[in-house]
Amino acid sequence: MAAIIAGGVSPVLAADLEAPIVIEEPQPVERYEVSDFGGWYIRGDLDYHKSKIRGTEYITYGVEPCPGCGDGFQGVGGTKSFDTAKLKSSFSIGAGVGYQISRHFRTDLTLDYWFKTKFRGSTSDDGSSGCGGPGVPCESVDRTKMSALLLLANAYVDLGTWNGITPYVGAGIGGAHVKWEDLENDANVGFATHKGTKSWRFAYALMAGASYCLTDRMVLDAGYRFSRIEGGRMFERNGAGPGFDKGFNTHEVRAGLRYSFGGSANGCYQPETVAYEPPEPIYTK
């Protein structure tokens, strides 16, 4: 009887003690978090530029016959343009500070120093000015140098990032402090020096280029910038003068570095691996 009872209970106990079934979760997949972007950045730039002067002119003084005057002549004045006016190419160095507002928009304030650029011009007349005596034309070769500080507030649109490369377009507005050195006037009637001048002028710029991620915070920035500086006084009077330039159109090839403080540089997001914690297994009977 005991054997029969034991034999009947054993299957029930075996069923109660059967091992639970574990439902296996899928293999863990690494999860990534995109680093935050935005915040302040600094920049430094070098460039090679070619400036085209849009024209130069100066006030002239001379004489013309005047039968009713004391010595038969009277003074006359007018404005005359240089026959030729050319600026050579030069370099500049710049720095700036900016803010990454969003993934596609940023602004900065830049200050560039244009190293001295050589100017060479020439003038002549038909002899009516009496520069070298009645009927003798004046001819001269004029030399000086120009340097400038260009201060611009800029805004850029970053067009997207592909393989670490972010093309952009931008525009800037501000002012330029233009400094002319003394003008050396080597004429066929003698040598003269005209004192150079310096002044602030209105300026603006248009840019296009691309940046490349070097690290998550630093990018290499290369591009093209067109800048225009309005005209102003060039030199003071010494016989003839004063003289004026009509401003400059400048084409620049630029390269530099940007470093971000507030987060990853725009487009340079380095994914951060987060440890995967699988959920508790689910047991069923």
Side-chain angles (χ1 to χ4, degrees):
M1 209 182 221
I4 292 172
I5 293 172
V9 173
S10 295
V12 176
L13 295 175
D16 291 340
L17 298 176
E18 184 179 353
I21 299 173
V22 179
I23 299 177
E24 295 184 357
E25 293 292 326
Q27 292 296 320
V29 178
E30 289 185 329
R31 178 163 53 92
Y32 296 94
E33 288 186 357
V34 177
S35 300
D36 192 16
F37 66 90
W40 295 97
Y41 66 84
I42 57 173
R43 65 181 299 159
D45 300 280
L46 293 171
D47 94 347
Y48 176 77
H49 63 262
K50 173 67 175 177
S51 296
K52 182 177 180 179
I53 194 165
R54 298 200 302 272
T56 51
E57 60 185 18
Y58 59 97
I59 297 175
T60 61
Y61 302 89
V63 296
E64 65 179 12
C66 177
C69 300
D71 57 0
F73 293 92
Q74 67 176 356
V76 295
T79 301
K80 191 176 188 310
S81 298
F82 277 63
D83 296 338
T84 62
K86 187 176 182 181
L87 283 166
K88 289 191 174 182
S89 303
S90 186
F91 294 89
S92 76
I93 185 171
V97 59
Y99 191 81
Q100 187 78 46
I101 297 174
S102 70
R103 185 171 182 180
H104 295 286
F105 188 71
R106 57 188 167 87
T107 61
D108 60 31
L109 184 69
T110 56
L111 179 65
D112 294 86
Y113 174 71
W114 291 7
F115 293 101
K116 292 179 180 179
T117 302
K118 292 182 179 179
F119 169 87
R120 180 186 173 94
S122 63
T123 64
S124 64
D125 64 17
D126 58 5
S128 61
S129 65
C131 177
V136 178
C138 284
E139 297 178 344
S140 71
V141 175
D142 303 275
R143 298 181 179 88
T144 184
K145 294 179 182 179
M146 183 272 290
S147 59
L149 282 173
L150 182 60
L151 179 65
L152 292 173
N154 310 291
Y156 309 87
V157 177
D158 294 313
L159 304 178
T161 302
W162 296 270
N163 298 319
I165 300 175
T166 305
Y168 65 84
V169 293
I173 188 170
H177 186 263
V178 177
K179 180 181 179 181
W180 286 102
E181 294 192 354
D182 293 350
L183 179 77
E184 296 178 348
N185 179 253
D186 190 1
N188 58 347
V189 293
F191 183 86
T193 299
H194 299 262
K195 182 176 177 59
T197 65
K198 53 187 177 181
S199 62
W200 279 100
R201 298 133 177 242
F202 175 74
Y204 67 85
L206 301 172
M207 295 84 77
S211 62
Y212 177 74
C213 301
L214 299 177
T215 70
D216 62 330
R217 290 179 178 266
M218 182 174 290
V219 298
L220 173 66
D221 189 323
Y224 163 80
R225 181 170 78 179
F226 168 81
S227 59
R228 178 162 179 162
I229 300 174
E230 295 302 315
R233 200 167 185 131
M234 184 177 178
F235 57 84
E236 302 294 352
R237 179 183 177 183
N238 183 8
F244 304 86
D245 68 75
K246 297 182 180 180
F248 318 98
N249 290 334
T250 303
H251 302 275
E252 306 173 54
V253 178
R254 301 168 59 81
L257 296 173
R258 299 201 316 262
Y259 182 83
S260 175
F261 291 102
S264 296
N266 192 38
C268 298
Y269 307 116
Q270 298 295 325
E272 178 183 351
T273 303
V274 178
Y276 177 78
E277 297 180 0
E280 294 293 329
I282 301 174
Y283 297 96
T284 63
K285 293 184 179 180

